[in-house]
Amino acid sequence: MIFEMPSEFIRKLSWVLLAGRWERGELENRGRLALRRATCPMWMVQLANRLIVTFGDNVTVPQRRQLELFLSWDAPLQKRIRTWDRNGSFPKLVVPPQRMAPAADRFIESRLPELTTTSSLAAWLSISPSELDWFADQRRWERRQVNEAARHYRYLWIPKSGGMCRLLESPKPRLKAMQREILDCILAKVPVHDAAHGFCRGRSVRTYLEPHVGRDIVFSVDLRQFFPSVRVSQINAIFRTVGYPEEVARMLTGLCTNSTPENVLHSKRVPDAGVENSRMLRRYRDVHLPQGTPTSPMLANLAAFRLDRRLTGLASKFGASYTRYADDLTFSGDSDFRCALERFKILVYAIVIDQGFEIRHRKTRVMTQGQRQLVTGLVLNNRLNVPRNSFDVLKATLHNCVRFGPSSQNREAIDNFSEHLAGRISWVDSVSPARGAKLKALFNEIDWSR
């Protein structure tokens, strides 16, 4: 037994509690080992019970500051600390090293890289600890950086329909390489919800739409500012849920998020669109998922896990199907679902808002079998198909390329025009092989020297 300051004891105790999985038995066992006791003392058992009641069991562990605040205000523990302080008899705590602590067994099976310190994270990324601090940008230098050469991202405003813009934030090569490593070795191994089909290996627009083909009614919802709407706390929670200690999760979060510089936000390329524009700028100013990085699509899918789970459960209760492709949500059902649609829409909107997202009401559509059911550019009425007019335009372009040469059809001066046409043909072929075969035959007849 040695004398310690109460604040020092609280700090050490928090590190002990956070050094593993957040389960009652694990908390008690770590307390016993830290105190070097054969059995866990009763005060530690009771403290573990109060922690589980407050923060939950088998969930993402609390942040260290949250835990220290709880311990500083926990009345039974504070009473005991005052006794130890008065007698000069604080128990000596042996703080164990941090370790991976996944919140669920399915994350243990993912075999993620064992990164328990910021030094090990830096070594894994083949950079120095000081470089890690610079790229993770914990102090948000990027937000205040005026010199473009010193920034981690390049910025481009892209016009959208309705007079608004979206911001493309492209990481520079070194940061992009780190993000690619995080995606391939960590995020790609974390399972997403079954309803998510965008940016998922083995899933596509086809798998996204197939559950809705031939249904009596299709209800389509579009989310506004999908990536910027994901909060930094959600990204941090993802990395902590899969098992990374707080400091490592904080650095990984910093490498995958951004805060847009003020002069970019106030550039003349941002249109004046009133309240909607102000809301957009606020999201980009806050720490957010940047659109244009390798990691953002998968992190957005993981951040929307609870949204997908709640909407899947809601759709099941109404006898409907639900899938999501990035920011596009699609529901479909038969006559019973059609009758309950108005009530269903209200519940969907409530869940979306509760999960921190916004609905773009202008793009919300209800489509019956009596009209063309068009979602993400494909028709769903009887079978999955490309709209006739889109197919005819592409076919006419290829036919003219054969007759007059491809240079006559490349009116927009597209680089790699052959690859552009091949990509459009591949898209049609993935949906309708019969139509794709006709287009491929025309493509093969083109003389690219003309």
Side-chain angles (χ1 to χ4, degrees):
M1 300 294 182
I2 63 171
F3 180 77
E4 289 191 59
M5 294 294 293
S7 59
E8 180 69 11
F9 180 80
I10 290 292
R11 187 184 67 82
K12 286 186 177 181
L13 182 58
S14 67
W15 279 113
V16 169
L17 295 169
L18 292 172
R21 295 189 68 174
W22 193 261
E23 298 174 348
R24 181 180 281 102
E26 288 277 337
L27 291 172
E28 294 176 5
N29 189 52
R30 287 199 296 279
R32 177 185 65 80
L33 293 174
L35 292 165
R36 296 184 177 182
R37 299 279 292 271
T39 59
C40 187
M42 184 55 62
W43 69 266
M44 179 63 78
V45 172
Q46 294 171 344
L47 176 60
N49 288 335
R50 294 193 298 274
L51 288 169
I52 294 301
V53 169
T54 303
F55 296 104
D57 195 1
N58 260 328
V59 296
T60 304
V61 297
Q63 294 186 3
R64 181 168 52 84
R65 291 179 181 176
Q66 289 178 305
L67 184 56
E68 288 183 0
L69 185 62
F70 173 87
L71 296 176
S72 298
W73 287 91
D74 182 63
L77 177 62
Q78 287 302 312
K79 181 179 179 181
R80 185 168 292 272
I81 285 176
R82 285 193 294 272
T83 301
W84 289 332
D85 191 26
R86 190 165 52 249
N87 300 332
S89 58
F90 274 95
K92 182 179 180 180
L93 289 173
V94 179
V95 180
Q98 296 290 297
R99 65 183 182 89
M100 295 282 287
D105 291 337
R106 69 180 184 274
F107 298 135
I108 297 177
E109 298 168 0
S110 299
R111 301 183 183 277
L112 303 179
E114 189 81 13
L115 307 172
T116 56
T117 64
T118 55
S119 297
S120 63
L121 174 60
W124 181 68
L125 293 170
S126 301
I127 59 177
S128 67
S130 60
E131 286 179 310
L132 175 62
D133 186 60
W134 167 248
F135 282 109
D137 197 12
Q138 296 298 306
R139 300 179 185 179
R140 297 302 160 194
W141 292 305
E142 184 85 2
R143 177 188 295 170
R144 303 184 296 273
Q145 187 58 255
V146 178
N147 182 6
E148 196 279 334
R151 292 174 179 165
H152 297 313
Y153 291 85
R154 294 185 177 92
Y155 301 93
L156 177 65
W157 287 103
I158 300 176
K160 295 170 59 178
S161 59
M164 293 300 296
C165 287
R166 65 183 174 91
L167 180 61
L168 186 64
E169 302 173 87
S170 303
K172 292 182 179 179
R174 289 193 69 192
L175 178 59
K176 187 174 183 178
M178 295 179 217
Q179 292 171 344
R180 176 62 64 180
E181 190 76 6
I182 294 170
L183 173 64
D184 293 341
C185 298
I186 297 177
L187 299 177
K189 298 180 181 181
V190 181
V192 299
H193 196 277
D194 291 340
H197 291 260
F199 319 110
C200 300
R201 188 173 299 172
R203 306 181 197 179
S204 63
V205 172
R206 187 182 188 93
T207 62
Y208 161 60
L209 294 176
E210 281 176 341
H212 310 293
V213 174
R215 304 303 294 272
D216 186 59
I217 191 163
V218 175
F219 172 45
S220 177
V221 177
D222 186 71
L223 301 181
R224 188 193 306 276
Q225 298 289 325
F226 181 53
F227 287 170
S229 295
V230 178
R231 299 182 299 276
V232 66
S233 59
Q234 293 175 284
I235 305 305
N236 186 272
I238 290 169
F239 287 118
R240 300 206 70 201
T241 298
V242 301
Y244 289 107
E246 181 178 341
E247 293 302 310
V248 175
R250 185 168 59 86
M251 288 296 182
L252 287 169
T253 299
L255 291 170
C256 298
T257 56
N258 187 37
S259 181
T260 311
E262 287 293 331
N263 65 331
V264 173
L265 295 178
H266 293 295
S267 72
K268 294 180 181 179
R269 287 169 287 180
V270 183
D272 184 10
V275 175
E276 186 174 347
N277 185 61
S278 299
R279 186 186 300 117
M280 177 189 71
L281 293 178
R282 185 170 61 252
R283 283 182 173 158
Y284 285 128
R285 184 177 293 109
D286 294 338
V287 183
H288 62 276
L289 269 187
Q291 186 167 355
T293 69
T295 50
S296 288
M298 184 57 72
L299 282 170
N301 275 338
L302 294 171
F305 186 92
R306 181 167 169 78
L307 172 71
D308 291 333
R309 186 174 63 181
R310 294 179 68 181
L311 292 178
T312 298
L314 177 67
S316 178
K317 289 182 180 179
F318 281 78
S321 300
Y322 162 70
T323 55
R324 179 179 60 81
Y325 194 94
D327 56 358
D328 293 314
L329 318 179
T330 299
F331 308 85
S332 64
D334 297 320
S335 55
D336 291 342
F337 177 61
R338 184 173 184 174
C339 294
L341 184 59
E342 290 305 313
R343 178 167 171 261
F344 180 80
K345 287 166 64 175
I346 294 172
L347 295 174
V348 167
Y349 296 163
I351 290 174
V352 169
I353 293 171
D354 187 53
Q355 291 301 129
F357 296 100
E358 282 188 52
I359 294 172
R360 189 177 305 188
H361 292 282
R362 185 172 57 85
K363 288 195 173 183
T364 297
R365 292 175 296 162
V366 176
M367 298 160 284
T368 65
Q369 270 290 338
Q371 63 189 115
R372 187 172 69 165
Q373 296 174 331
L374 185 68
V375 180
T376 61
L378 296 177
V379 180
L380 310 178
N381 292 72
N382 297 314
R383 66 181 186 276
L384 202 59
N385 213 341
V386 178
R388 182 74 197 187
N389 60 333
S390 299
F391 171 75
D392 289 343
V393 168
L394 180 55
K395 183 180 178 182
T397 300
L398 294 170
H399 180 72
N400 290 335
C401 284
V402 174
R403 290 189 62 191
F404 307 110
S407 58
S408 67
Q409 301 303 302
N410 190 11
R411 299 182 181 89
E412 298 179 0
I414 299 173
D415 293 333
N416 299 318
F417 189 53
S418 62
E419 294 181 10
H420 169 74
L421 291 178
R424 292 174 64 183
I425 294 170
S426 177
W427 164 250
V428 174
D429 185 58
S430 68
V431 177
S432 176
R435 286 185 169 182
K438 296 178 182 179
L439 298 177
K440 287 179 181 178
L442 284 171
F443 183 81
N444 292 331
E445 295 179 25
I446 298 174
D447 181 1
W448 294 101
S449 64
R450 297 171 65 188

